């Protein structure tokens, strides 16, 4: 006899299979995003451009600098739910994320530093195409955090999306509160 959990998993699989083949394809991008940088936004924009939609997995734990709700509030200042589906996840497991989405993942975006980890996850899912992100620019989450610690609004504006420039004080306050 199937458990309720197994029935639910079967149902999700059937729905995703039936609908996603034609209508619900997506790119996926997973990260901690402590906090969103210009580069993160560029990658999400590229993912949306590639498949028309992006599923964003925010790895969030008790040690995260920002709460999931705070991160969601800010990412929604840039992207609507029509093009960006956001999930709070505890690990960077691609298949677990796909099981919680009705989207079929077509493309997976990741940095060179995570390539090997995600290649191992995707070896049984060759239909998901990995897109490696060039990380040669000088934008980093570490520098963005330093801008908050050092009250450096200029560096903050250099590292973060322009949509966040008016929120330096609020973001800094949240960072200090959770640090």
């Amino acid at each position: 006899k199937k458990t309720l959990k197994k029935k639910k998993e079967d149902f999700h699989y059937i729905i995703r299979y039936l609908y996603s083949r034609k209508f619900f394809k997506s790119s996926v991008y997973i990260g901690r995003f402590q906090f969103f940088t210009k580069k993160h936004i560029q990658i999400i924009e590229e993912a949306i451009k590639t498949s028309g939609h992006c599923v964003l997995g925010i790895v969030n734990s008790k040690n995260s600098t920002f709460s999931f709700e705070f991160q969601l509030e800010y990412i929604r200042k840039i992207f609507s739910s029509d093009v960006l589906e956001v999930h709070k996840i505890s690990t960077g497991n691609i298949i677990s994320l796909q099981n919680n989405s009705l989207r079929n993942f077509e493309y997976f975006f990741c940095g060179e530093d995570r390539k090997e980890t995600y290649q191992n996850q995707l070896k049984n899912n060759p239909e998901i195409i990995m897109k490696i992100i060039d990380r040669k620019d000088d934008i980093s989450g570490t520098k963005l955090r330093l801008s908050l610690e050092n009250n450096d609004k200029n560096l903050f504006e250099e590292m973060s999306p322009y949509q966040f420039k008016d929120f330096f004080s609020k973001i800094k306050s949240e960072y200090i509160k959770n640090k």
Side-chain angles (χ1 to χ4, degrees):
K1 185 175 179 179
K2 286 187 180 181
T3 65
L4 182 59
K5 182 179 179 183
K6 180 64 177 155
K7 286 179 185 177
K8 185 178 176 183
E9 287 172 1
D10 290 349
F11 177 75
H12 277 262
Y13 174 79
I14 291 166
I15 294 295
R16 190 172 47 257
Y17 177 79
L18 293 174
Y19 290 106
S20 67
R21 291 181 53 102
K22 186 168 184 182
F23 300 111
F24 296 125
K25 295 196 184 255
S26 186
S27 293
V28 63
Y29 183 35
I30 295 174
R32 291 182 312 138
F33 309 108
Q34 303 285 326
F35 194 64
F36 294 105
T37 66
K38 283 181 182 178
K39 187 67 174 182
H40 292 137
I41 301 308
Q42 290 169 356
I43 293 164
I44 294 168
E45 287 171 341
E46 180 64 26
I48 292 168
K49 187 174 138 186
T50 300
S51 63
H53 186 272
C54 180
V55 173
L56 184 68
I58 298 177
V59 179
N60 198 274
S61 69
K62 64 180 181 170
N63 298 328
S64 294
T65 306
F66 295 98
S67 71
F68 172 76
E69 294 72 21
F70 190 80
Q71 291 175 307
L72 182 60
E73 175 187 347
Y74 278 84
I75 200 65
R76 286 288 176 236
K77 292 182 185 303
I78 301 175
F79 301 103
S80 74
S81 58
D82 294 341
V83 295
L84 185 70
E85 176 185 328
V86 183
H87 290 267
K88 177 181 180 179
I89 57 178
S90 58
T91 70
N93 188 292
I94 302 165
I95 305 310
S96 292
L97 179 57
Q98 183 165 295
N99 289 339
N100 288 310
S101 172
L102 286 178
R103 300 282 175 162
N104 186 31
F105 296 165
E106 231 178 347
Y107 298 97
F108 178 76
F109 286 74
C110 78
E112 185 68 41
D113 58 330
R114 304 273 192 252
K115 177 181 173 182
E116 191 174 311
T117 300
Y118 287 117
Q119 278 179 329
N120 287 334
Q121 284 190 42
L122 292 175
K123 65 182 163 194
N124 295 325
N125 296 281
E127 70 279 3
I128 301 174
I129 301 163
M130 184 179 283
K131 297 246 183 193
I132 307 301
I133 300 156
D134 175 17
R135 298 191 59 169
K136 292 182 178 133
D137 55 29
D138 202 27
I139 298 171
S140 77
T142 301
K143 285 184 179 181
L144 196 142
R145 283 191 307 278
L146 284 173
S147 75
L148 298 171
E149 290 172 7
N150 298 324
N151 202 32
D152 188 340
K153 191 171 181 181
N154 290 332
L155 181 59
F156 175 82
E157 289 179 3
E158 191 180 315
M159 296 294 126
S160 66
Y162 72 89
Q163 294 92 333
F164 297 167
K165 72 178 179 68
D166 294 333
F167 299 102
F168 175 75
S169 296
K170 186 175 179 184
I171 294 168
K172 179 182 173 192
S173 173
E174 183 75 8
Y175 174 75
I176 291 168
K177 180 176 91 178
N178 293 325
K179 191 173 155 193

